[in-house]
Amino acid sequence: TTFFYPFIANHTGDLASITVEVASASSGVTHDLGIYSVSNGFPTTLIGKANIDVGTTGIKTQTTLSATISLTKGEMYWLGWSRATGSGNSTLQCVEDLASTGASFGLGIENVYGFSSESCGCFFLNSSGALPSSVTLADLDIDNKDFPHVGLLW
């Protein structure tokens, strides 16, 4: 399943990296985390993505992005998240000290009480594997799922 979460960029420029913290690992599993452009408030086109190996626990920063991801401060985008390869389950959690990773912006809520994420309204697409290059409104269903904690560095 692919999940989509909205966010507003707080910087203008090209992303340098995407960071997550893996709390429980799954050997042979990777996750795609990508940024989508918006049309009429909904995700449409994949701008670029990071593929992150979640085979070990700890902070994972991916500086190799599939394309240049240029964002504009104050504009809305959507984070797409899916398990790209493998079949195991893994857990992403809030990076406790996001500033230490150099991230300029954190999506999600602080892990103050030990929760790994924050429940919010999102869209999902019943597909597995790599993130789709484009999405239409007809492809999406609405749900209330946890927002993954992701650090973005410009």
Side-chain angles (χ1 to χ4, degrees), residues 63-84:
T63 57
T64 302
L65 306 176
S66 67
T68 300
I69 302 174
S70 298
L71 304 181
T72 302
K73 181 179 181 175
E75 294 291 321
M76 180 180 179
Y77 298 91
W78 286 78
L79 172 74
W81 173 36
S82 71
R83 180 175 52 213

Side-chain angles (χ1 to χ4, degrees), residues 27-63:
S27 180
V29 174
T30 64
H31 287 210
D32 276 348
L33 291 108
I35 308 297
Y36 283 79
S37 61
V38 174
S39 177
N40 297 319
F42 298 101
T44 55
T45 304
L46 179 64
I47 301 169
K49 67 180 179 179
N51 182 266
I52 298 179
D53 183 342
V54 296
T56 58
T57 59
I59 294 173
K60 309 293 180 177
T61 298
Q62 182 57 269
T63 57

Side-chain angles (χ1 to χ4, degrees), residues 18-26 31 33 52-62 90-98 100-101 149-151:
I18 296 177
T19 298
V20 297
E21 185 170 1
V22 179
S24 63
S26 293
H31 287 210
L33 291 108
I52 298 179
D53 183 342
V54 296
T56 58
T57 59
I59 294 173
K60 309 293 180 177
T61 298
Q62 182 57 269
S90 55
T91 304
L92 303 184
Q93 71 179 18
C94 181
V95 179
E96 289 295 333
D97 184 9
L98 194 57
S100 70
T101 70
H149 292 273
V150 178

Side-chain angles (χ1 to χ4, degrees), residues 80-153:
W81 173 36
S82 71
R83 180 175 52 213
T85 61
S87 60
N89 291 320
S90 55
T91 304
L92 303 184
Q93 71 179 18
C94 181
V95 179
E96 289 295 333
D97 184 9
L98 194 57
S100 70
T101 70
S104 307
F105 182 57
L107 305 178
I109 305 300
E110 239 1 91
N111 192 15
V112 175
Y113 299 107
F115 297 107
S116 61
S117 50
E118 179 69 13
S119 186
C120 68
C122 68
F123 288 106
F124 71 95
L125 174 66
N126 279 322
S127 69
S128 58
L131 290 173
S133 60
S134 63
V135 179
T136 66
L137 185 55
D139 296 329
L140 301 173
D141 287 311
I142 195 160
D143 206 342
N144 187 35
K145 291 289 185 190
D146 292 341
F147 197 120
H149 292 273
V150 178
L152 303 178
L153 175 65

